[in-house]
């Protein structure tokens, strides 16, 4: 079975540019999570969705970050405009129904903003 | 100013020895715990989980121990192999917390040949 799929795997962009990260969760999973990982702050939850609806976006750093989930098989995380401090590895994870369930992570997108 | 990264604790073990990685959690309401393994350049990978109604759970070569009294979690890896070298994270969650996981800072496991 395919796991969580993320694209692109690597992204290098210049400060001020728009960046869009993409995620396809595991089929049948109702929860989708976006995380950011840096050496400074470790693994941070940015936002998560349940049945395509954003439930908690308290981890989103600022208005430059936005996330959408137009359907059960696709989500995007957008940064506009990007800044050097946004450089990090961004992970998408998904899990099954309500109740505390294991989250399965994608391979991540390594973002470098110059 | 100069940035300072997280200082990951490091555990070095000889190949074939047993490894014990520890984790302290803070939320006494947490009732679900997971251990993840993250290899360089990859996403965290599920290893084993445990619910608060248990104090021990075993998998293949791994055992998780939970001590709710002192809010402590440990991961034991038997006969550690070079492929076990990675960063290991514990994560906690609680019923009613919306499936959110709170991750620890991680422990770097290095297996020496």
């Amino acid at each position: 079975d395919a796991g969580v799929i993320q694209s692109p795997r690597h992204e290098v962009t210049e400060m001020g540019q728009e960046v869009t990260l993409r995620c396809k969760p595991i089929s049948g999973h109702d929860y989708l999570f976006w995380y950011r990982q840096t050496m400074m702050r470790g693994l941070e939850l940015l936002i998560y969705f349940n049945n395509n609806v954003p439930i908690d976006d308290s981890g989103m750093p600022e208005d430059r970050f936005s996330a959408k989930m137009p359907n059960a098989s696709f989500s995007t995380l957008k940064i506009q405009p990007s800044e050097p401090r946004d450089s990090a590895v961004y992970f998408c994870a998904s899990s099954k129904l309500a109740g505390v369930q294991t989250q399965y992570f994608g391979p991540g997108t390594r973002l470098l903003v110059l | 100013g100069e940035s300072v990264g997280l200082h990951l604790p490091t555990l070095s073990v000889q190949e074939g020895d047993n490894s014990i990685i520890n984790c302290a959690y803070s939320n006494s309401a947490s009732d679900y715990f997971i251990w993840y393994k993250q290899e360089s350049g990859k996403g965290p990978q599920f290893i084993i989980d445990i619910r608060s109604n248990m104090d021990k759970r075993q998998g293949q070569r791994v055992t998780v121990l939970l001590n709710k009294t002192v809010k402590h979690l440990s991961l034991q890896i038997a006969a550690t192999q070079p492929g076990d070298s990675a960063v290991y994270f514990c994560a906690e969650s609680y019923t009613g917390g919306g499936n959110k996981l709170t991750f620890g800072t991680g422990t770097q496991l290095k297996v020496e040949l």
Side-chain angles (χ1 to χ4, degrees), chain A:
Chain A
D1 291 338
V4 175
I5 299 172
Q6 291 186 248
S7 65
R9 294 294 312 277
H10 301 273
E11 177 80 29
V12 181
T13 191
E14 292 187 345
M15 182 175 63
Q17 296 298 305
E18 178 179 294
V19 175
T20 300
L21 310 181
R22 298 172 177 80
C23 175
K24 176 179 170 55
I26 294 172
S27 178
H29 282 193
D30 292 324
Y31 285 82
L32 184 139
F33 305 80
W34 281 103
Y35 289 87
R36 177 172 67 177
Q37 187 175 41
T38 62
M39 287 299 295
M40 286 287 291
R41 302 173 69 88
L43 197 60
E44 304 173 275
L45 176 66
L46 300 177
I47 185 172
Y48 79 96
F49 295 82
N50 176 214
N51 290 323
N52 315 336
V53 176
I55 302 300
D56 184 347
D57 65 354
S58 60
M60 295 287 262
E62 50 197 272
D63 292 344
R64 296 185 299 105
F65 285 69
S66 63
K68 294 181 179 180
M69 192 164 185
N71 57 63
S73 59
F74 183 67
S75 176
T76 60
L77 178 67
K78 184 177 294 186
I79 308 172
Q80 166 63 18
S82 59
E83 297 182 3
R85 61 194 169 117
D86 301 330
S87 297
V89 182
Y90 291 81
F91 289 104
C92 177
S94 70
S95 68
K96 288 184 180 178
L97 301 175
V100 183
Q101 298 289 346
T102 305
Q103 293 181 22
Y104 295 90
F105 283 75
T109 295
R110 187 172 295 274
L111 174 65
L112 177 61
V113 183
L114 302 174

Side-chain angles (χ1 to χ4, degrees), chain B residues 20-84:
Chain B
I20 300 176
I21 300 172
N22 297 303
C23 176
Y25 64 94
S26 57
N27 188 354
S28 55
S30 292
D31 55 10
Y32 180 65
F33 306 87
I34 305 179
W35 280 100
Y36 282 91
K37 171 186 180 183
Q38 186 175 22
E39 297 175 275
S40 180
K42 297 183 179 180
Q45 177 186 7
F46 170 83
I47 301 174
I48 191 168
D49 60 359
I50 189 168
R51 297 193 180 272
S52 59
N53 60 350
M54 304 173 67
D55 53 20
K56 180 179 180 179
R57 191 170 187 210
Q58 289 185 289
Q60 187 176 15
R61 281 200 310 118
V62 294
T63 300
V64 56
L65 298 178
L66 174 63
N67 185 330
K68 295 181 289 293
T69 302
V70 296
K71 291 188 285 188
H72 183 268
L73 195 67
S74 68
L75 177 70
Q76 300 178 3
I77 304 174
T80 312
Q81 303 169 359
D84 296 327

